[in-house]
Amino acid sequence: MDCKELSAPYLTDDLVVEILSRLPFKSFSRFKCVCKAWFDFSFDPHYSQKLPKVPTGFFYQDRHNSAIQLVNLSKHDEGIDGTLSFLPGYEHLELVDCCNGLVLCEYRSNYTSADIFRLVVCNPATREWRILPDTRRKADEFYYTTKLGFNPLQFPHFYVFKFHQKRGPYNFVFGVSQLEIFSSSKSTWLVDSCLWNHENNDISVNGRPHVFIDGFLHVHTDRDVLVLEKLETTSMGIPPRNWTIKLPLHRVDCFLDHCVRGCLGQYSGILHYAVAEWDGCTILVWSHDYYDPDGWTVSHRLSMRDAFGRDDFVHYEDGWLWTCNYEIIAFDLEREVIFLVDEKTNKLLSYGISTGKLNEIKDSYHWYMYYVPCYLKLPDPEPVYDDEAMETDES
């Protein structure tokens, strides 16, 4: 039974929110993941300001094999181990991805064969981890993009997606040739070579932030957004469905428009996209409606000219390649903030959507991954039953 149905005969929404507002943020984080009605309060303009805000941060790594670190944006010490020191002592630990409170790393020892691909998923808030079964690397001409998918409100288990992309001269990527999907519910990998048909076998998945909503993976490609759905069938060996969404502000004369400029995000279960206009003076935040033929509508217009106090954002390298001197690396509409890296000052910044103000977070540029803690424990894999053993037991 839904928790709202239980409480409705006795408590109004105002009283429920008043009670939830008095909880420690760890407790509220757990509760809203197991009760959709309480989760929805976080996105209600009337109630959201009263509820605890789960602290956020950014994971980063200076270079391969250096220590993984966390920039904690909370004013209080939340006790999260940002160095992931609770993981077993592998000699080489590489930060790969982060999604809704879980962190994905590649690990190896000095004795690990070069053709072995080893991954571990961990929860820094609960200090738990799950080692994935090894997979094999192909020859050097292949490039791998690996994504983590997790949404505790929809499903307690996680997915890992490993895109195999053919790499040519000068490291040019020709497109995805194979996809491996790991489902933690069955602790198995599905290898799919038939996902890409003749119309989309030239799609290249890049390292821009991705979004996992309602069990759908949304990833940046060189032209649009690739969506994978029906992931629950992977545990039965059935490949997921795939389709694409065209991004707004598409220009056919610059294929780099999408892959270097915009940033995917989500709010209240709806796909969003933040992108700078061509002069860099304004950031547009778009929301996507799957049922609207036009698809995208602008939800926010944010003035970067006012925020930075300048308007010299854009230049063209070699006379044709569009470049903006700030980059959108993440945004969180629940917390009303957009995160930017300013290449002129080499600083990580936060922009308050309601205030229009920039705040400095950290000096120096890194490959930052946005992190919001999740205090739910990792579930155990579902039991695998042997049909022959069951028949023997019954006989």
Side-chain angles (χ1 to χ4, degrees):
M1 182 180 293
D2 184 80
C3 56
K4 193 167 185 178
E5 294 178 4
L6 281 172
S7 61
Y10 309 102
L11 298 175
T12 65
D13 286 350
D14 289 318
L15 289 175
V16 172
V17 171
E18 183 65 27
I19 294 171
L20 293 175
S21 69
R22 299 172 185 270
L23 293 173
F25 72 87
K26 289 185 181 180
S27 299
F28 177 68
S29 177
R30 292 189 183 103
F31 293 163
K32 77 173 187 177
C33 287
V34 297
C35 179
K36 190 176 187 306
W38 295 350
F39 177 82
D40 290 342
F41 286 141
S42 297
F43 303 102
D44 187 308
H46 178 66
Y47 296 124
S48 61
Q49 298 302 318
K50 300 179 181 180
L51 295 172
K53 296 291 185 184
V54 178
T56 59
F58 284 92
F59 275 100
Y60 70 94
Q61 191 172 23
D62 287 329
R63 60 186 182 280
H64 295 338
N65 304 328
S66 65
I68 296 172
Q69 300 180 63
L70 174 67
V71 180
N72 196 334
L73 304 183
S74 172
K75 295 180 180 179
H76 308 286
D77 181 12
E78 307 300 344
I80 295 175
D81 184 356
T83 64
L84 308 185
S85 63
F86 57 89
L87 291 176
Y90 306 113
E91 289 90 340
H92 309 289
L93 193 65
E94 180 180 341
L95 183 63
V96 176
D97 198 15
C98 187
C99 184
N100 291 330
L102 298 188
V103 176
L104 174 67
C105 297
E106 183 180 357
Y107 72 94
R108 59 180 53 247
S109 71
N110 292 326
Y111 307 100
T112 304
S113 173
D115 64 345
I116 295 294
F117 202 101
R118 289 182 167 171
L119 296 169
V120 56
V121 172
C122 69
N123 185 336
T126 61
R127 302 195 175 198
E128 298 175 289
W129 71 89
R130 178 80 59 81
I131 296 175
L132 277 58
D134 291 349
T135 59
R136 292 279 177 180
R137 294 180 183 272
K138 290 188 176 181
D140 289 341
E141 64 264 22
F142 278 89
Y143 171 78
Y144 299 94
T145 301
T146 308
K147 304 289 186 180
L148 174 63
F150 177 62
N151 187 340
L153 182 67
Q154 303 293 329
F155 188 58
H157 294 276
F158 62 83
Y159 296 94
V160 175
F161 307 84
K162 186 149 70 79
F163 295 90
H164 297 230
Q165 305 191 89
K166 187 72 173 178
R167 182 166 54 189
Y170 308 105
N171 287 330
F172 183 80
V173 178
F174 289 107
V176 176
S177 61
Q178 181 174 286
L179 171 65
E180 292 181 273
I181 303 177
F182 175 84
S183 170
S184 67
S185 64
K186 301 296 184 182
S187 290
T188 56
W189 286 95
L190 167 69
V191 179
D192 178 40
S193 300
C194 303
L195 182 63
W196 318 106
N197 56 37
H198 67 282
E199 295 179 350
N200 64 3
N201 59 8
D202 61 341
I203 287 177
S204 296
V205 175
N206 64 37
R208 299 290 295 165
H210 66 290
V211 176
F212 194 72
I213 309 174
D214 294 336
F216 289 29
L217 178 71
H218 303 74
V219 293
H220 261 289
T221 72
D222 52 6
R223 294 189 300 271
D224 43 34
V225 179
L226 172 67
V227 183
L228 299 183
E229 62 169 322
K230 303 287 185 183
L231 299 177
E232 67 276 3
T233 63
T234 58
S235 61
M236 298 179 285
I238 303 174
R241 288 182 54 198
N242 71 94
W243 46 286
T244 57
I245 300 173
K246 283 293 181 187
L247 289 168
L249 299 181
H250 178 62
R251 280 181 44 153
V252 296
D253 60 333
C254 182
F255 75 94
L256 292 175
D257 178 9
H258 296 155
C259 63
V260 302
R261 297 179 61 215
C263 181
L264 292 175
Q266 69 90 20
Y267 177 63
S268 192
I270 298 174
L271 180 66
H272 284 71
Y273 178 67
V275 63
E277 289 192 307
W278 279 96
D279 60 3
C281 293
T282 304
I283 289 178
L284 300 181
V285 181
W286 301 74
S287 64
H288 184 264
D289 185 350
Y290 291 108
Y291 304 103
D292 184 347
D294 296 328
W296 295 96
T297 57
V298 175
S299 62
H300 297 80
R301 294 179 182 271
L302 310 174
S303 173
M304 296 297 102
R305 180 187 285 112
D306 294 339
F308 282 96
R310 66 175 196 258
D311 56 10
D312 57 335
F313 297 112
V314 172
H315 68 278
Y316 288 83
E317 294 182 3
D318 300 325
W320 66 276
L321 181 58
W322 183 96
T323 302
C324 185
N325 56 31
Y326 66 83
E327 180 183 2
I328 306 168
I329 61 170
F331 63 97
D332 190 329
L333 297 182
E334 181 181 354
R335 296 164 183 82
E336 297 188 317
V337 63
I338 288 183
F339 298 98
L340 310 165
V341 169
D342 183 14
E343 296 179 2
K344 272 200 165 185
T345 60
N346 204 29
K347 296 181 185 296
L348 173 64
L349 308 171
S350 65
Y351 172 86
I353 293 176
S354 59
T355 65
K357 302 297 184 183
L358 283 176
N359 290 299
E360 180 181 335
I361 298 174
K362 191 180 188 317
D363 285 325
S364 72
Y365 176 78
H366 299 279
W367 181 39
Y368 293 107
M369 294 184 181
Y370 188 52
Y371 169 74
V372 178
C374 174
Y375 291 92
L376 293 180
K377 291 187 174 295
L378 289 175
D380 294 327
E382 297 174 2
V384 179
Y385 297 103
D386 188 325
D387 292 338
E388 294 183 0
M390 291 179 65
E391 292 175 2
T392 302
D393 291 341
E394 292 175 358
S395 62

